[in-house]
Amino acid sequence: MDVMPLLLLVAGSAAVAGLARRTPVPAPLLLVAAGLGAGYLPGVPDYPLDPHIVLPLLLPPLLHTAALDSSYLDLRANLRPVALLSVGYVLFATLAVGYAAYLVIPDLPLTAALVLGAVVAPPDAVAATAIARRLRLPGRITTILQGESLVNDATAITAYKVALAAAVGEGATWAGGLKEFGIAAVGGIGIGLVLMGPLHWLRCKLRDSAVLENTLSLLIPFLAYSVAEHVGASGVLAVVVVALYLGHRSWQVGFETRLQEAAVWTMVSFLLESTVFALIGLQLPVVVRGLGEFSTAQALTYALVVFAVVVLARFVWVFPATYVPRWLSARIREREPDTTWTAPVIVGWAGMRGVVSLAIAFSIPLTIHGDEPFPARNLVLFLTFSTVIGTLVVQGLTLPPLIRLLRLPRPDPQAETLAEAQAQNDASDAAERRLHELLEDSRNALPGPLEDRLRTVLERRRNAVWERLGPPNAETGESVEATYLRLAREMIGAERAVFVELRDARRIDDEMLRTLLRRLDLEEAAAYRETVSPE
């Protein structure tokens, strides 16, 4: 097996994603554009999108890292809107797109049209999360989009299986479809609930070895997905349930594990997301070559219709789903904050599709009823591709200016800093009381300088957040926290240079150098965490 094309794909994707950070264009869009262009360059090999690789190997880690960064408490507080989008909207979009395609495309059976509807129904987890974080959307909107994107793949895959069974003549019925959906949902959640406790217990037992813990962390999403799929349940839901629990309980593992895990998953998600969006663009030659009996004009006309229905169906669903429950329930009106028309507009427009839709489309069988070709399979692939590209380009490019135009309220950095400072103050008070209790025991006696050092470190953590509220430098415009971080890095850099000089002079060996540098790295990381607010 020649691995060079795969290595070139990963390296090229990473390079384009890195370039995107220096441009105002979101990385997913630049990667898709690069893939579209590269697909027609001479010498570039075909990169067929194999669903047997994408779904079990790429989807679990992408869902896992997105769920780890999500808030279980926020998702639980917004369970109703998340469920209405991740389940209700996906089923509604399946029917709306399927029926529209059935009416517009001659000789397309309704069952095959519903297969297309299920394929293009789920918005993409990666695109939604990336754009929501970059634009710093209001917290509730971000939570709803993240929650929807975590669960909707399970709904879409189940709907696809039911529609495909009907299309290939396996006698699928509405009752059978609902039964399969229930089994997949309940089974996936059940598998996740069964696995999450033992996996977390095992991680805590391995806390003396951060390397083993993070090796386990990399295996967990594949384990949860494969176990659930093996018994006919939803692997997507199993991965999400396990990851939400582990993220919620991450404070119980060692600090080295958390530091390494953050770095490992950041790297893994960066490489996978970059490769996934580049793969989307690279599918164009494969899809276009397969159009066959359909002319380019016909295919483009059908593509515009499907794209329009996908976009309109989301708005048709989102506005009633936002307001009708509030009109019907006084409890919802009392419990949830008031919302304006701008929030459902943003949620409605943030419906980008992604690689899951393409992977499902490529899994459509070539034949039905023995040797009879699947109706318009190549056209379904093209319509899926055009919908994914259309939503990523049109909605992805226009979402940032739309948010600026609507002037959505953004998180108040001052309020966030005050809340963080108060939380740190409460924690420091508890730490100070605990230190006082420990030092009263003669077994914990420390020399005076070391005792003072503990109190100094505690006081520094207590004051660090408050100091970020200081005014910027009148001469340079640099904030207090930026100045502090710059000076701290300069000091640590000076120490680091001395350690290297001592190693080069053979006064210390490489093992000692690595130990000393790790201490400085942790100190620099601590300084960075103290002074830089999260994005």
Side-chain angles (χ1 to χ4, degrees), residues 367-391:
T367 60
I368 59 173
H369 307 303
D371 295 330
E372 184 179 342
F374 189 95
R377 181 182 186 273
N378 293 329
L379 180 63
V380 170
L381 290 177
F382 177 80
L383 295 178
T384 304
F385 179 85
S386 60
T387 301
V388 170
I389 297 297
T391 54

Side-chain angles (χ1 to χ4, degrees), residues 274-432:
S274 302
T275 305
V276 158
F277 284 111
L279 269 175
I280 291 175
L282 286 166
Q283 300 313 300
L284 179 59
V286 179
V287 172
V288 170
R289 283 199 301 266
L291 275 177
E293 70 273 18
F294 295 96
S295 68
T296 302
Q298 286 177 313
L300 290 177
T301 301
Y302 302 148
L304 288 174
V305 171
V306 171
F307 173 77
V309 173
V310 165
V311 173
L312 291 175
R314 188 165 175 87
F315 282 100
V316 170
W317 179 268
V318 166
F319 272 89
T322 301
Y323 291 108
V324 170
R326 301 178 67 86
W327 293 340
L328 297 178
S329 173
R331 183 181 178 185
I332 292 177
R333 291 194 297 271
E334 294 172 359
R335 187 178 56 193
E336 296 184 0
D338 291 334
T339 185
T340 64
W341 62 271
T342 57
V345 167
I346 294 300
V347 172
W349 196 243
M352 290 73 69
R353 269 54 176 179
V355 71
V356 172
S357 292
L358 277 175
I360 299 174
F362 275 95
S363 70
I364 298 173
L366 295 174
T367 60
I368 59 173
H369 307 303
D371 295 330
E372 184 179 342
F374 189 95
R377 181 182 186 273
N378 293 329
L379 180 63
V380 170
L381 290 177
F382 177 80
L383 295 178
T384 304
F385 179 85
S386 60
T387 301
V388 170
I389 297 297
T391 54
L392 283 174
V393 173
V394 176
Q395 294 179 309
L397 283 177
T398 57
L399 186 59
L402 178 63
I403 291 173
R404 289 192 291 269
L405 178 65
L406 295 180
R407 297 182 179 179
L408 283 178
R410 304 184 71 181
D412 182 5
Q414 194 84 345
E416 290 180 346
T417 301
L418 288 172
E420 183 184 351
Q422 186 58 58
Q424 181 61 64
N425 189 72
D426 293 345
S428 296
D429 287 344
E432 192 170 21

Side-chain angles (χ1 to χ4, degrees), residues 98-150:
Y99 192 66
Y102 170 70
L103 294 177
V104 171
I105 303 174
D107 302 324
L108 181 68
L110 180 59
T111 52
L114 289 175
V115 169
L116 170 63
V119 166
V120 300
D124 179 55
V126 178
T129 303
I131 291 180
R133 288 179 178 170
R134 176 166 181 165
L135 299 176
R136 285 184 63 87
L137 291 174
R140 189 163 187 264
I141 294 179
T142 301
T143 298
I144 291 173
L145 290 176
Q146 287 179 333
E148 175 198 10
S149 63
L150 290 174

